[in-house]
Protein backbone atom coordinates (compact mmCIF):
# COMPACT_ATOMS: atom_id res chain seq x y z
CA UNK A 1 0.00 0.00 0.00
CA UNK A 2 1.49 3.32 -1.10
CA UNK A 3 1.05 6.06 1.45
CA UNK A 4 2.20 9.67 1.58
CA UNK A 5 2.13 11.47 4.93
CA UNK A 6 2.72 15.22 5.10
CA UNK A 7 3.83 16.92 8.28
CA UNK A 8 5.33 20.18 9.48
CA UNK A 9 2.43 22.52 8.97
CA UNK A 10 0.99 24.81 11.59
CA UNK A 11 0.40 28.41 12.58
CA UNK A 12 3.23 30.82 11.87
CA UNK A 13 3.56 34.60 11.88
CA UNK A 14 4.31 36.55 8.70
CA UNK A 15 8.02 36.39 7.93
CA UNK A 16 8.43 33.04 9.65
CA UNK A 17 9.60 29.74 8.23
CA UNK A 18 8.41 26.16 8.05
CA UNK A 19 9.75 22.95 6.62
CA UNK A 20 7.14 20.56 5.34
CA UNK A 21 7.92 16.87 5.02
CA UNK A 22 6.35 14.16 2.91
CA UNK A 23 7.24 10.65 4.03
CA UNK A 24 6.45 7.93 1.51
CA UNK A 25 5.98 4.23 2.16
CA UNK A 26 5.20 1.34 -0.16
CA UNK A 27 7.24 2.58 -3.13
CA UNK A 28 10.78 3.81 -3.77
CA UNK A 29 10.54 7.49 -4.70
CA UNK A 30 14.02 7.70 -6.22
CA UNK A 31 12.80 6.95 -9.76
CA UNK A 32 9.87 9.35 -9.80
CA UNK A 33 9.09 13.05 -9.87
CA UNK A 34 7.43 14.59 -6.85
CA UNK A 35 5.42 17.75 -6.52
CA UNK A 36 3.92 20.06 -3.93
CA UNK A 37 0.50 21.59 -4.45
CA UNK A 38 -1.51 23.92 -2.29
CA UNK A 39 -5.17 24.77 -2.00
CA UNK A 40 -6.45 27.89 -0.30
CA UNK A 41 -10.06 28.24 0.88
CA UNK A 42 -12.36 28.85 -2.07
CA UNK A 43 -9.63 28.27 -4.64
CA UNK A 44 -8.54 25.40 -6.84
CA UNK A 45 -5.53 23.27 -6.07
CA UNK A 46 -2.39 24.93 -7.42
CA UNK A 47 1.00 23.52 -8.34
CA UNK A 48 3.78 25.10 -6.27
CA UNK A 49 6.98 23.27 -7.16
CA UNK A 50 8.28 19.97 -8.54
CA UNK A 51 11.47 17.93 -8.39
CA UNK A 52 12.48 15.22 -10.82
CA UNK A 53 14.28 11.95 -10.19
CA UNK A 54 17.49 13.68 -11.34
CA UNK A 55 17.03 16.61 -8.92
CA UNK A 56 15.81 19.05 -11.56
CA UNK A 57 13.45 21.56 -9.95
CA UNK A 58 10.72 23.77 -11.34
CA UNK A 59 9.21 26.69 -9.44
CA UNK A 60 6.50 29.18 -10.09
CA UNK A 61 8.23 32.50 -10.65
CA UNK A 62 6.53 34.12 -7.67
CA UNK A 63 7.90 31.47 -5.31
CA UNK A 64 11.55 31.56 -6.36
CA UNK A 65 13.79 32.61 -3.51
CA UNK A 66 11.26 31.76 -0.77
CA UNK A 67 10.42 28.09 -1.31
CA UNK A 68 12.91 25.27 -1.81
CA UNK A 69 12.07 21.68 -2.67
CA UNK A 70 14.51 18.87 -1.91
CA UNK A 71 14.50 15.12 -1.61
CA UNK A 72 16.29 12.56 0.54
CA UNK A 73 16.00 9.26 -1.27
CA UNK A 74 17.64 7.36 1.58
CA UNK A 75 14.75 8.44 3.81
CA UNK A 76 12.18 8.19 1.00
CA UNK A 77 11.11 11.72 1.87
CA UNK A 78 10.62 15.02 0.06
CA UNK A 79 10.71 18.42 1.75
CA UNK A 80 9.45 21.92 1.14
CA UNK A 81 11.33 24.68 2.94
CA UNK A 82 9.19 27.79 3.19
CA UNK A 83 10.78 31.08 4.21
CA UNK A 84 9.50 34.65 4.51
CA UNK A 85 5.95 33.39 4.76
CA UNK A 86 3.08 35.67 3.84
CA UNK A 87 -0.63 35.50 4.67
CA UNK A 88 -1.33 34.53 1.06
CA UNK A 89 0.69 31.35 1.63
CA UNK A 90 -2.11 30.11 3.88
CA UNK A 91 -3.39 26.85 2.40
CA UNK A 92 -3.45 23.11 2.73
CA UNK A 93 -0.25 21.78 1.19
CA UNK A 94 -0.33 18.41 -0.57
CA UNK A 95 2.47 16.08 -1.59
CA UNK A 96 2.06 14.33 -4.96
CA UNK A 97 4.00 11.33 -6.29
CA UNK A 98 3.83 10.67 -10.04
CA UNK A 99 4.66 7.02 -10.56
CA UNK A 100 2.56 4.56 -12.58
CA UNK A 101 -0.34 6.56 -11.21
CA UNK A 102 -0.70 9.65 -9.05
CA UNK A 103 -0.51 9.27 -5.28
CA UNK A 104 -1.58 11.99 -2.85
CA UNK A 105 -1.14 12.68 0.81
CA UNK A 106 -3.86 13.96 3.12
CA UNK A 107 -2.32 17.43 3.24
CA UNK A 108 -0.95 19.61 6.00
CA UNK A 109 -2.43 22.97 6.98
CA UNK A 110 -0.25 26.06 6.89
CA UNK A 111 -1.72 29.22 8.39
CA UNK A 112 0.21 32.48 8.22
CA UNK A 113 -1.32 35.09 10.49
CA UNK A 114 -0.44 37.64 13.13
Amino acid sequence: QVQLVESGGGLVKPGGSLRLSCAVSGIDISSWPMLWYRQAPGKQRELVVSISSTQTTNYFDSEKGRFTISRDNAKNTVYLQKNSLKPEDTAVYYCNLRAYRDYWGQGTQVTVSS
Side-chain angles (χ1 to χ4, degrees):
Q1 187 80 35
V2 176
Q3 292 187 331
L4 283 65
V5 180
E6 299 98 335
S7 62
L11 176 63
V12 64
K13 293 183 177 180
S17 298
L18 288 172
R19 189 179 75 160
L20 308 184
S21 298
C22 176
V24 181
S25 61
I27 189 172
D28 184 358
I29 70 168
S30 63
S31 298
W32 308 105
M34 297 196 70
L35 304 85
W36 285 97
Y37 289 77
R38 66 184 178 188
Q39 187 167 21
K43 296 184 179 180
Q44 297 202 77
R45 193 169 297 186
E46 175 187 39
L47 176 63
V48 178
V49 64
S50 67
I51 185 167
S52 76
S53 62
T54 56
Q55 308 290 347
T56 300
T57 57
N58 288 289
Y59 297 86
F60 282 98
D61 186 67
S62 63
E63 307 302 334
K64 290 181 179 178
R66 296 198 303 122
F67 292 0
T68 303
I69 189 170
S70 62
R71 63 195 300 158
D72 186 339
N73 290 334
K75 296 182 178 180
N76 224 41
T77 300
V78 65
Y79 304 94
L80 181 62
Q81 179 69 41
K82 298 158 53 68
N83 299 325
S84 301
L85 286 163
K86 304 174 182 179
E88 52 262 44
D89 295 320
T90 296
V92 177
Y93 285 75
Y94 296 92
C95 182
N96 171 230
L97 165 64
R98 295 194 171 182
Y100 297 104
R101 54 154 288 185
D102 278 359
Y103 298 97
W104 294 88
Q106 294 296 308
T108 184
Q109 176 72 50
V110 173
T111 302
V112 184
S113 176
S114 299

